[in-house]
Amino acid sequence: MENQLIYNTIEYIKSVFATDFSGHDFFHTMRVYKMATNLARQENADLQIVQLAALLHDVDDRKLSPETCENKDRAVAYMREQGLPEETIALIKEIIGEVSFAGKDSVVPKTLEGKCVQDADRLDALGAVGIARAFAYGGNHNRVMYDPEIKPALNMSKEEYQNHISTTVNHFYEKLFLLKDMINTRSAKAIAEHREQYMKEYINEFMDEWEGIK
């Protein structure tokens, strides 16, 4: 049973993501929250900090709320409404700012709590759900599913990655297949390995079907 603060935060994010269908929806946040909770317990991280950061990690996401992204305005305003101490707000704001993949400019979080949240978010981009999210996001943003004439762009900077327009299959090579080696915690590494292997098998099957081999 969640405590009142966590319950309130779940209700808050439910309202924030009520109309999102891009793969960054309420259920994505809840999966990250549940995985981050499991990782925090295994890694002996501060559970409430991890849970709050996981729940709030996307409310100011650049793709969803670009006007509030830089200062995490919505997350900060919500935490102040809940009466959290300013030092706690600052810590959670920092963790949220470290979560996102940014190509070769991606950062390793400074705290164990940040590592748990980042790992949980990255794990949700892998495996069966990760495949579904990639194609949901691509369709939502009018991306071509696959075009053999368009090659993946590798080793992109943060700015290049954020401005790059690609295909959904290329996204596997430009981001998703890089995530396993960027996992921070011991608890998340085996999960990442299993999910990446599943995705690689899927892409191999996709390519065979695309070429009419199977």
Side-chain angles (χ1 to χ4, degrees):
M1 183 72 179
E2 288 93 4
N3 64 38
Q4 189 63 46
L5 176 59
I6 298 302
Y7 175 82
N8 291 347
T9 310
I10 291 172
E11 291 301 303
Y12 169 66
I13 62 161
K14 191 179 292 185
S15 67
V16 169
F17 297 115
T19 59
D20 186 270
F21 305 101
S22 71
H24 291 82
D25 55 10
F26 169 72
F27 296 106
H28 161 67
T29 295
M30 289 305 296
R31 288 191 302 272
V32 172
Y33 161 70
K34 291 172 185 175
M35 178 61 73
T37 296
N38 291 337
L39 296 177
R41 286 176 172 147
Q42 293 180 66
E43 300 289 332
N44 296 313
D46 185 306
L47 187 60
Q48 182 161 279
I49 293 293
V50 167
Q51 290 178 327
L52 286 171
L55 287 169
L56 295 170
H57 84 278
D58 264 350
V59 300
D60 294 292
D61 184 82
R62 179 187 62 85
K63 297 182 289 296
L64 306 174
S65 185
E67 69 280 3
T68 70
C69 178
E70 184 174 354
N71 295 313
K72 309 295 180 281
D73 297 327
R74 294 207 287 191
V76 169
Y78 170 77
M79 288 187 283
R80 285 180 177 153
E81 287 173 6
Q82 297 297 311
L84 287 171
E86 286 298 319
E87 58 268 27
T88 300
I89 293 173
L91 174 58
I92 292 173
K93 178 183 173 183
E94 180 179 50
I95 290 171
I96 294 170
E98 295 170 334
V99 169
S100 293
F101 177 83
K104 63 184 180 182
D105 295 326
S106 299
V107 301
V108 176
K110 299 179 183 69
T111 64
L112 176 58
E113 289 72 25
K115 290 175 181 177
C116 290
V117 176
Q118 187 185 73
D119 282 0
D121 186 54
R122 288 178 174 173
L123 286 173
D124 203 55
L126 297 176
V129 168
I131 294 168
R133 288 183 65 217
F135 284 100
Y137 185 87
N140 190 263
H141 290 76
N142 300 314
R143 274 185 178 170
V144 175
M145 185 169 67
Y146 176 58
D147 182 341
E149 297 298 316
I150 302 174
K151 303 304 179 185
L154 305 178
N155 299 313
M156 287 184 282
S157 68
K158 178 179 180 179
E159 184 177 1
E160 289 170 333
Y161 176 75
Q162 291 180 347
N163 294 312
H164 180 61
I165 299 174
S166 190
T167 71
T168 295
V169 169
N170 280 356
H171 183 64
F172 284 71
Y173 297 94
E174 294 167 350
K175 174 183 176 182
L176 304 183
F177 289 152
L178 306 178
L179 296 179
K180 176 178 69 69
D181 293 332
M182 302 172 77
I183 292 294
N184 304 290
T185 64
R186 175 190 50 79
S187 305
K189 288 184 187 297
I191 301 171
E193 288 174 4
H194 169 76
R195 293 189 183 189
E196 183 192 69
Q197 183 59 38
Y198 182 91
M199 294 178 81
K200 286 186 172 179
E201 291 169 1
Y202 170 82
I203 288 294
N204 288 338
E205 180 73 17
F206 180 99
M207 293 303 180
D208 284 347
E209 292 181 15
W210 184 273
E211 297 296 337
I213 295 173
K214 291 183 179 179

